[in-house]
Amino acid sequence: MMQFMLLFSRQGKLRLQKWYVAHPDKLKKKITRELITTILARKPKMCSFLEWRDLKIVYKRYASLYFCCAIEQEDNELLTLEVIHRYVELLDKYFGSVCELDIIFNFEKAYFILDELLLGGEIQETSKKTILKAIAAQDLLQEEETPQGFFDDHGLG
């Protein structure tokens, strides 16, 4: 089971974090700082897997973002790389060539996409098509709930 997923920039700025195991905030900050420092210090040609405490860390860099997952010892690193890649593909499809700014300004969508893919640290849905349909339905629902032209309707515009 995945323990957590972190997305951070080459400058070490945390852009997204999803924890599937409860930890106090102080410990989360310590873990995050330690992992970001460790991964950024690694050379690009080094393996994307590392042993850390009692977990395995699997990470992959896409453009300016690092996607980092902590998994249990008995979990499959290659499957975790596939999960990371599937998440990036979904972000790419949704945002149209995703970039760091998309994550910064639309973090709630990035979390929603992640929640459609993973539930409790386990794969929930493998079909990109199904996930993208769910996201489109959520967008439609959100558009219906957001009052458009409120000021115009009330003579304030």
Side-chain angles (χ1 to χ4, degrees):
M1 182 183 107
M2 191 179 295
Q3 303 286 307
F4 57 85
M5 180 187 271
L6 305 173
L7 267 70
F8 55 92
S9 69
R10 286 185 309 198
Q11 293 76 33
K13 298 264 190 234
L14 187 62
R15 297 300 182 204
L16 186 133
Q17 60 180 325
K18 186 72 174 185
W19 298 81
Y20 298 106
V21 175
H23 292 294
D25 284 345
K26 196 173 181 178
L27 181 58
K28 285 181 186 177
K29 284 186 176 108
K30 185 176 188 264
I31 289 170
T32 302
R33 198 170 36 249
E34 193 176 317
L35 277 177
I36 289 173
T37 305
T38 302
I39 291 170
L40 289 176
R42 292 171 65 88
K43 294 184 174 30
K45 297 282 185 199
M46 292 177 90
C47 179
S48 292
F49 313 140
L50 60 119
E51 300 284 327
W52 182 78
R53 296 185 183 179
D54 59 338
L55 299 171
K56 287 191 273 191
I57 303 300
V58 178
Y59 69 93
K60 180 107 172 91
R61 182 177 153 197
Y62 288 90
S64 66
L65 282 176
Y66 284 88
F67 292 72
C68 168
C69 296
I71 57 173
E72 293 170 356
Q73 286 295 331
E74 60 276 358
D75 289 340
N76 186 325
E77 300 94 331
L78 295 175
L79 183 61
T80 305
L81 271 180
E82 283 296 317
V83 169
I84 291 171
H85 189 69
R86 177 57 48 109
Y87 183 47
V88 171
E89 286 178 325
L90 286 163
L91 290 171
D92 252 355
K93 274 265 201 259
Y94 183 78
F95 290 111
S97 190
V98 70
C99 69
E100 191 175 343
L101 287 176
D102 291 321
I103 304 292
I104 293 168
F105 292 117
N106 300 292
F107 63 90
E108 67 286 336
K109 287 293 176 207
Y111 277 114
F112 186 77
I113 293 168
L114 185 59
D115 290 343
E116 287 295 312
L117 178 65
L118 296 170
L119 182 67
E122 301 282 350
I123 284 279
Q124 173 180 253
E125 179 59 66
T126 56
S127 167
K128 281 189 281 190
K129 199 176 196 177
T130 303
I131 292 170
L132 291 167
K133 272 186 190 172
I135 295 159
Q138 182 66 29
D139 285 349
L140 195 61
L141 191 64
Q142 198 172 9
E143 279 177 31
E144 289 172 3
E145 287 178 1
T146 307
Q148 297 291 326
F150 172 82
F151 293 108
D152 295 333
D153 295 344
H154 294 85
L156 302 171

